Amino acid sequence: MTTHAVDPVLCMALFVSDASQTSDLDNGTIRDVVARTLEQLGPNECYARAAEVFGDRPETALGRITWARELCSRAMALAAV
């Protein structure tokens, strides 16, 4: 999958959200989840929680951040068109 540059805080928000990697999320849902998570937690807390996951469960964190980055890249690129 080709990814487009996207603000890392958006990826972190999806990463720490309650969204399931097994769900088939459409682009609008991804944008809603990211916005809701940022509204609830703010950017700094998103980064803090992501760092905690990387420290506690690095074996699962890489897969989830890759997933979050790919989905955010797709959803945000289409929103900009």
Side-chain angles (χ1 to χ4, degrees):
M1 172 182 272
T2 302
T3 58
H4 303 277
V6 63
D7 187 339
V9 75
L10 302 178
C11 300
M12 289 300 137
L14 185 58
F15 177 85
V16 301
S17 75
D18 58 0
S20 171
Q21 284 180 254
T22 59
S23 298
D24 186 22
L25 304 174
D26 63 44
N27 294 329
T29 301
I30 294 164
R31 290 189 296 271
D32 290 345
V33 167
V34 167
R36 185 179 69 245
T37 303
L38 283 172
E39 183 178 306
Q40 291 173 345
L41 302 177
N44 290 340
E45 184 64 21
C46 287
Y47 275 110
R49 289 184 183 197
E52 183 177 7
V53 173
F54 271 96
D56 292 346
R57 297 184 307 277
E59 69 283 355
T60 60
L62 181 59
R64 184 151 175 99
I65 195 61
T66 300
W67 166 83
R69 184 173 175 261
E70 289 173 356
L71 266 62
C72 280
S73 177
R74 180 190 76 205
M76 303 310 166
L78 292 176
V81 173

